[in-house]
Amino acid sequence: MTTTTSGLTIRPAALTDVPAIVALLTDDPLGATRESPDDPALYQDAFVRVSADPNQHLIVAERDGRVIGTLQLSVIPGLSRRGATRTVIESVRIHTTERGGGLGTELIRWAVDRSRELGADLVQLTSDATRTDAHRFYERLGFVASHVGFKLAL
Amino acid sequence: MTTTTSGLTIRPAALTDVPAIVALLTDDPLGATRESPDDPALYQDAFVRVSADPNQHLIVAERDGRVIGTLQLSVIPGLSRRGATRTVIESVRIHTTERGGGLGTELIRWAVDRSRELGADLVQLTSDATRTDAHRFYERLGFVASHVGFKLAL
């Protein structure tokens, strides 16, 4: 658990945080069309799968007892790049009332620091091509938009 | 282990395959500048980390006893997209003498089928923006270039 100077607590998500996380996932232009907040069992089952894997770090950011942000950090060991371990940041969400207030920066900086602690050599993430504000945000934090991200739904 | 109609064997990588995998990683326009084939311990240690994680699937493609391709498939459970599990394909390499012969297609199709067996809802990968031939290749296989891929070296 980390408590920042701005009074933000960043900690591993608990099962009781799942409804708040689902609310954050849904309150998003893209998430609104692809989440099912009325089906909590889907998310509880997913939480169990995430919790069972020690290389998954699902975290929440809390202020005054209220969950206002979330992200997932995944550790991927590998052979390429001289045996580099990479972390992948997924599902970054900031509560609408908190956007533009520096919380995103605090969360991503936390994820980068945590990646270092976890022995990673590289942090990577993909962002939907339509999220141009997010792209500027990541570039300000030092990320390089060097790749094209492909997805295939099964 | 899978043996395809073209006589290709796709199987989990063993420690004894590490030199062949490193040769494939190095024999690549980008890999040439960022691999250290003269430092095998780096890669052996990385192989141990990969093998210790049941959600990492490092595989090789072999024909007539010769390793001619490799990729790594990582399973990432998560809450977003209705609790979707995704797989990430990384470090796809095809031996220079085999390029353009359909081996890449066989490997990626295998990875997509294996992702389905592993319960994934989504397969994703990133490809360096300079690899335009690879982008056309992934699009032909049904992947959608919907995202921008960011990296931060630590």
Side-chain angles (χ1 to χ4, degrees):
Chain A
M1 193 173 91
T2 310
T3 301
T4 70
T5 48
S6 67
L8 189 74
T9 297
I10 300 175
R11 60 166 174 81
L15 183 59
T16 50
D17 295 314
V18 170
I21 296 171
V22 174
L24 289 172
L25 293 173
T26 307
D27 186 18
D28 172 85
L30 297 173
T33 64
R34 62 191 184 204
E35 301 299 340
S36 297
D38 298 336
D39 198 347
L42 278 178
Y43 297 95
Q44 287 159 1
D45 291 352
F47 182 84
V48 171
R49 288 192 292 273
V50 170
S51 304
D53 181 346
N55 281 329
Q56 306 305 325
H57 303 267
L58 177 65
I59 62 102
V60 292
E62 191 179 61
R63 186 180 280 140
D64 302 328
R66 191 166 145 260
V67 169
I68 53 177
T70 182
L71 64 74
Q72 184 174 336
L73 191 65
S74 305
V75 181
I76 303 187
L79 264 62
S80 66
R81 298 176 183 245
R82 301 165 44 89
T85 291
R86 48 189 97 200
T87 55
V88 177
I89 300 174
E90 280 282 355
S91 306
V92 181
R93 294 292 184 281
I94 304 295
H95 195 283
T96 41
T97 60
E98 302 283 333
R99 288 181 200 158
L103 173 58
T105 300
E106 284 195 81
L107 265 187
I108 298 297
R109 287 209 173 124
W110 177 90
V112 170
D113 289 345
R114 188 82 184 94
S115 297
R116 249 187 224 105
E117 288 169 12
L118 291 163
D121 306 287
L122 190 69
V123 185
Q124 60 190 52
L125 61 90
T126 67
S127 179
D128 194 284
T130 63
R131 298 194 199 265
T132 48
D133 285 354
H135 302 171
R136 281 189 292 270
F137 166 77
Y138 289 119
E139 286 177 328
R140 276 198 304 272
L141 290 171
F143 285 82
V144 180
S146 54
H147 282 61
V148 180
F150 292 86
K151 290 193 197 280
L152 175 73
L154 298 182
Chain B
M1 193 173 91
T2 310
T3 301
T4 71
T5 48
S6 68
L8 189 73
T9 297
I10 299 175
R11 59 166 175 81
L15 182 59
T16 50
D17 295 315
V18 170
I21 296 172
V22 174
L24 289 172
L25 293 173
T26 307
D27 185 17
D28 173 84
L30 297 174
T33 64
R34 63 192 184 203
E35 302 299 342
S36 296
D38 298 335
D39 198 347
L42 278 178
Y43 296 96
Q44 286 159 2
D45 291 352
F47 182 84
V48 171
R49 289 192 292 273
V50 170
S51 303
D53 181 346
N55 282 328
Q56 306 305 325
H57 304 267
L58 177 66
I59 61 101
V60 291
E62 190 178 61
R63 186 179 280 138
D64 302 329
R66 192 165 145 258
V67 169
I68 53 178
T70 182
L71 63 75
Q72 183 173 339
L73 191 65
S74 305
V75 181
I76 302 187
L79 265 61
S80 67
R81 299 177 183 241
R82 301 165 45 88
T85 290
R86 51 188 95 199
T87 55
V88 177
I89 300 174
E90 280 284 354
S91 305
V92 180
R93 295 293 185 280
I94 305 294
H95 196 282
T96 41
T97 59
E98 302 283 332
R99 287 180 201 160
L103 173 59
T105 300
E106 284 195 81
L107 265 187
I108 298 297
R109 288 209 172 122
W110 177 90
V112 169
D113 289 346
R114 188 81 183 96
S115 296
R116 252 189 221 102
E117 289 169 10
L118 290 163
D121 305 288
L122 190 68
V123 185
Q124 61 191 49
L125 61 90
T126 67
S127 179
D128 193 284
T130 62
R131 298 193 199 265
T132 49
D133 287 354
H135 304 171
R136 282 190 291 271
F137 166 77
Y138 289 119
E139 287 179 326
R140 278 198 302 273
L141 290 171
F143 284 81
V144 180
S146 54
H147 283 60
V148 179
F150 291 85
K151 291 195 198 278
L152 175 72
L154 297 182

